[in-house]
Amino acid sequence: MRVKDSKVVPLMVVQVGAAVLLFAAIVFLPGDWNASRWAGLIIGIPGVVFLIAARYELGKSFSVTAQARELVTSGVYSKIRNPIYVFGAMLILGFILALQKPILLVILAVVIPLQVVRARKEARVLEAKFGDAYREYRKKTWF
């Protein structure tokens, strides 16, 4: 694989680093290891792992704005159309549970609707470019 074809791009390094730091905060926060903190860890671990996997699989097709570079349908994308949103929300939930500050659930109340709106916009862009291939893919996957 040539360097320019690599799925690892600088933005991905920043994103993965932020996810790992958030996860590390869950583990190393001072305080008791009660049920809420354990739940945060149990939800946060797969959130981090699958978020990193999804971001890697998306590679250079990742963009901040809705763009249709390539229809990625393998790996975690074979089951979930927007795994970065799903697993990002899991990571946030895990962090909130670990912090034991229920008021922070407001963050999810804002993030989730925004991600749904973004997912719908991306779906329109992908359908416009890939047509029937995207519609078939959409039938076989969740969110």
Side-chain angles (χ1 to χ4, degrees):
M1 178 183 322
R2 295 177 306 189
V3 174
K4 79 175 199 174
D5 294 333
S6 174
K7 289 185 174 186
V8 179
V9 294
L11 181 57
M12 181 183 168
V13 173
V14 172
Q15 292 168 324
V16 169
V20 169
L21 285 174
L22 201 54
F23 173 72
I26 292 171
V27 173
F28 297 111
L29 281 171
D32 295 334
W33 278 89
N34 58 19
S36 180
R37 189 163 181 181
W38 278 108
L41 185 65
I42 290 167
I43 292 169
I45 287 174
V48 168
V49 170
F50 286 114
L51 178 67
I52 291 169
R55 182 58 186 91
Y56 178 78
E57 289 169 2
L58 195 56
K60 291 189 176 185
S61 292
F62 175 83
S63 65
V64 176
T65 60
Q67 297 178 20
R69 296 179 184 150
E70 176 184 359
L71 186 58
V72 178
T73 61
S74 60
V76 72
Y77 286 88
S78 68
K79 303 292 180 202
I80 305 172
R81 287 186 306 279
N82 299 286
I84 290 175
Y85 299 160
V86 171
F87 299 120
M90 281 178 64
L91 179 58
I92 292 168
L93 177 61
F95 190 66
I96 290 168
L97 290 172
L99 284 176
Q100 303 171 40
K101 305 266 187 216
I103 189 70
L104 294 178
L105 289 171
V106 169
I107 294 169
L108 281 179
V110 171
V111 167
I112 291 173
L114 289 175
Q115 298 298 46
V116 169
V117 169
R118 287 183 69 188
R120 287 181 181 162
K121 187 175 187 176
E122 290 169 4
R124 287 191 300 271
V125 170
L126 290 167
E127 188 171 6
K129 177 153 186 181
F130 300 110
D132 288 337
Y134 179 74
R135 285 186 283 277
E136 283 301 311
Y137 167 67
R138 189 173 177 152
K139 288 179 190 175
K140 299 176 186 175
T141 55
W142 174 72
F143 183 69

